[in-house]
Amino acid sequence: MALQAATSFLPSALSARKEGAAKDSAFFGARLADGLKFDTTSLGLRTKRVNTSSVAIRAQAAAVSAPTATPASLSGKKTVRTGNAIITGASSGLGLATAKALAESGKWHVIMACRDYLKTARAARAAGMPKGSYTIVHLDLASLDSVRQFVKNVRQLDMPIDVVVCNAAVYQPTAKEPSFTADGFEMSVGVNHLGHFLLARELLEDLKASDYPSKRLIIVGSITGNTNTLAGNVPPKANLGDLRGLAAGLNGVGSAAMIDGAEFDGAKAYKDSKVCNMLTMQEFHRRYHEETGVTFASLYPGCIATTGLFREHIPLFRLLFPPFQKYITKGYVSEEEAGKRLAQVVSEPSLTKSGVYWSWNKNSASFENQLSEEASDTEKARKVWELSEKLVGLA
Ligand code: LMG
Ligand code: NDP
Ligand code: PMR
């Protein structure tokens, strides 16, 4: 309980580079010899709400060193420096598996952008991610303020941002009523689409400024948002309609918690949010690929039937879904394999094509997949972009 309570008071940006080694650690230049004195003011963090029960955790959490960009080889060889990749929702499932795959390659430093610091720190440790290969920075996509604060905090790390992976998501298939983000948007679209939309728009500047040879912005899509597939035809089907709910602010007033203005349906809201993710990636490509050289991509990593995504589904579903996908649809993929797939999209030199929706065949070979009519509708992409920028305060 004390641990739980303390989590919410943790500073917004914490590095786990030298977790557990409090004695030798520093936090943005402030040494932690006595384990307690550290300075968070350089990050502009709110410390006033920190209570004494959180001190031990803070000390542990802050047992870190300021991350730095690894310099390119000084030996004169043309070695590409360590890349820095932000992954949202890296505390579990696909995000964690991808973070692990990248960290273990030795070529990447992962910024794990997560809403629960302790859960993420434990998950990274349990996954065996090498110390020094990751930094945890707080991000709650259900709050636009948190997104803006995250961007500030990441900039304070003074690392170039080379790749951004928008991976976090919520799925509320059993919710009878909508729930809402801090800014009053229906939760699934608010977190999965609008939070990421603001994040990606803000970080484009940072990607642009990076000197990394292949800069990428990746958004995780899904087969279930694509009605040109069998999976995409399982009811309720994704459908953004004429976007009247999104235009009305997605706040439930006048029943507009859904993008199409229809009655709330949690499973549909998730699928709609994935359509928005796939449309957003294409709109980014059209607007910014040429100008910035950034590769914009989305993907369907396979059916990772065992992740926390299904935590709100009924127990019977959670029991039957993995064997159903493994033995009947054969669409199942393990978290580890899916993580390798997403890690390829982050780092494979052959996957630099922009505007692509990647999928994999049974032998885990990637291919450019076809999106549904709606998920590739350019006019809809433009409208979703314009309405979304109004909602997140960019226009
Ligand atoms: C809703 O139910 C839930 O209500 C909602 O809460 C949310 O979870 C949502 O999408 C998520 O689903 C969907 C529900 C109704 O589906 C079911 O779960 C019913 C299960 C019925 C079991 C079927 C037996 C299969 C045998 C399995 C044996 C053991 C394993 C069971 C594990 C089950 C886990 C799911 O869905 C239906 O109405 C069922 C019919 C859906 C079939 C849709 C197929 C349409 C095909 C249309 C073809 C279109 C052509 C596309 C072209 C493709 C070209 C490549
Ligand atoms: P998980 O539930 O395991 O991971 C989701 C992650 O998102 C968690 O780290 C979760 O954090 C985080 N998250 C949720 N809400 C917020 C928030 N408000 N702010 C910040 N982070 C948040 O699911 P998956 O790994 O399966 O999902 C990852 C991605 O893969 C999603 O985009 C999903 O749509 C996509 N996908 C998944 C498929 C599957 O079969 N599983 C298939 C196709 C696509 P916390 O740990 O704190 O809850
Ligand atoms: Mg689906 C034919 C292949 C196939 C694939 C690849 C998936 C993936 N699903 C397939 C088929 C079917 N599913 C069929 C025939 C049914 C009816 C029995 C079915 C049902 C079903 C349910 C109830 N499937 C589901 C659900 C969910 O709640 C999941 C969902 O829609 O989450 C949004 C889901 C999924 N099926 C998938 C994938 C990848 C998911 C979940 C994750 C996601 O899209 O992100």
Side-chain angles (χ1 to χ4, degrees), residues 171 173 228-230 233-236 267 271 313 317 320-321 324 328:
Y171 175 40
N228 58 339
T229 63
L230 176 60
N233 277 283
V234 174
K271 294 174 190 179
H313 224 309
F317 175 87
L320 295 177
F321 191 54
F324 172 67
I328 296 173

Side-chain angles (χ1 to χ4, degrees), residues 162-219:
D162 309 315
V163 173
V164 177
V165 181
C166 297
N167 161 80
V170 285
Y171 175 40
Q172 306 182 312
T174 55
K176 298 271 176 285
E177 296 290 332
S179 53
F180 297 93
T181 66
D183 305 274
F185 307 130
E186 184 283 315
M187 189 63 74
S188 322
V189 176
V191 168
N192 307 358
H193 167 57
L194 291 169
H196 277 136
F197 181 79
L198 177 61
L199 181 74
R201 287 287 300 272
E202 294 284 345
L203 291 175
L204 182 62
E205 205 179 294
D206 303 72
L207 288 171
K208 221 166 137 179
S210 149
D211 63 343
Y212 202 71
S214 182
K215 307 180 281 191
R216 305 181 190 184
L217 172 62
I218 299 156
I219 304 181

